[in-house]
Amino acid sequence: MRDTYRHKGLRKRLVHSLRQRGISDEAVLAAIGAVPRHFFLDKTFEEHAYDDKALPIAHGQTISQPFTVAYQTSLLEIKPDDRVLEIGTGSGYQAAILAALGAQVYSVERQEGLYAQTKALLGAMQWKNVHCFFGDGTAGLPQFAPYDKVLVTAGAPVVPEALRKQLAWPGGVLVIPVGKTVQKMHKITRTGRDTYKEEELDAFRFVPLLEGVAPR
């Protein structure tokens, strides 16, 4: 895996375009400027790695467009050593961005082949603060709860109650796109044992969040 001056220049241009689109969190922009997105894509798509668009990855999934990654990550307001649960490991790019911000990332993937591939990639990149798991993301990872932040990278028809319950309180934050065809981004802050503040934000399109694990 090579990260050339050209790649770094393309990332710098991408960061500039994200700033123009309204992303103002400088720590998030720095992480996007540092993490080589082309490492997470098949060689076929390397030329488009720093375009602001979603691209196909294995098992019929996609790597989210950089704007979406930056938008969701900014909403989380990551602090160093935050414990973050990510639902939908996918390519591993979002997990790497969280790790670059200093979070301890616990990431769940329901596609076993994709889980194995991405876990190996993140290991090769030496992201020691990313912990990958194969399983049903809608159930979270209760064995490591509570989490300071929870991020869902697929569109949920409703907010899974298990993910709310695994937030630390007070102050734990869940960022999740909710809806069927088009999703509205929701930011949910746990304010007490059974109380939450919920904000509905901008519209996006995600692959659907599915229960269970994918059949082999």
Side-chain angles (χ1 to χ4, degrees), residues 19-61:
R19 192 179 277 116
Q20 286 189 314
R21 287 195 65 184
I23 302 297
S24 59
D25 187 320
E26 290 299 326
V28 171
L29 291 169
I32 286 174
V35 175
R37 190 175 185 242
H38 64 282
F39 285 4
F40 299 89
L41 290 163
D42 187 273
K43 280 280 186 187
T44 310
F45 300 104
E46 185 172 341
E47 285 300 308
H48 301 286
Y50 298 104
D51 295 347
D52 189 17
K53 61 184 180 185
L55 293 166
I57 58 170
H59 300 277
Q61 303 302 299

Side-chain angles (χ1 to χ4, degrees), residues 6-165:
R6 179 174 176 273
H7 291 126
K8 290 170 185 173
L10 290 170
R11 284 204 296 281
K12 187 175 180 180
R13 188 177 72 183
L14 173 62
V15 166
H16 177 70
S17 73
L18 294 176
R19 192 179 277 116
Q20 286 189 314
R21 287 195 65 184
I23 302 297
S24 59
D25 187 320
E26 290 299 326
V28 171
L29 291 169
I32 286 174
V35 175
R37 190 175 185 242
H38 64 282
F39 285 4
F40 299 89
L41 290 163
D42 187 273
K43 280 280 186 187
T44 310
F45 300 104
E46 185 172 341
E47 285 300 308
H48 301 286
Y50 298 104
D51 295 347
D52 189 17
K53 61 184 180 185
L55 293 166
I57 58 170
H59 300 277
Q61 303 302 299
T62 59
I63 182 172
S64 292
Q65 74 178 98
F67 175 79
T68 303
V69 171
Y71 183 99
Q72 287 196 291
T73 307
S74 296
L75 288 175
L76 289 172
E77 299 179 37
I78 298 292
K79 298 176 180 61
D81 296 321
D82 269 354
R83 291 164 58 83
V84 182
L85 173 63
E86 180 194 29
I87 306 305
T89 312
S91 69
Y93 177 67
Q94 173 71 80
I97 295 295
L98 295 169
L101 289 164
Q104 288 291 329
V105 185
Y106 298 80
S107 188
V108 187
E109 175 55 53
R110 69 185 297 272
Q111 298 270 359
E112 190 170 13
L114 190 55
Y115 151 76
Q117 176 182 317
T118 301
K119 182 178 181 181
L121 172 63
L122 290 166
M125 293 178 70
Q126 299 190 334
W127 286 113
K128 292 183 168 54
N129 49 337
V130 180
H131 316 282
C132 295
F133 300 86
F134 168 61
D136 177 3
T138 64
L141 284 173
Q143 64 268 41
F144 299 108
Y147 301 98
D148 301 297
K149 311 287 162 63
V150 177
L151 175 62
V152 180
T153 63
V158 295
V159 179
E161 194 60 27
L163 301 185
R164 291 181 189 265
K165 295 298 184 186

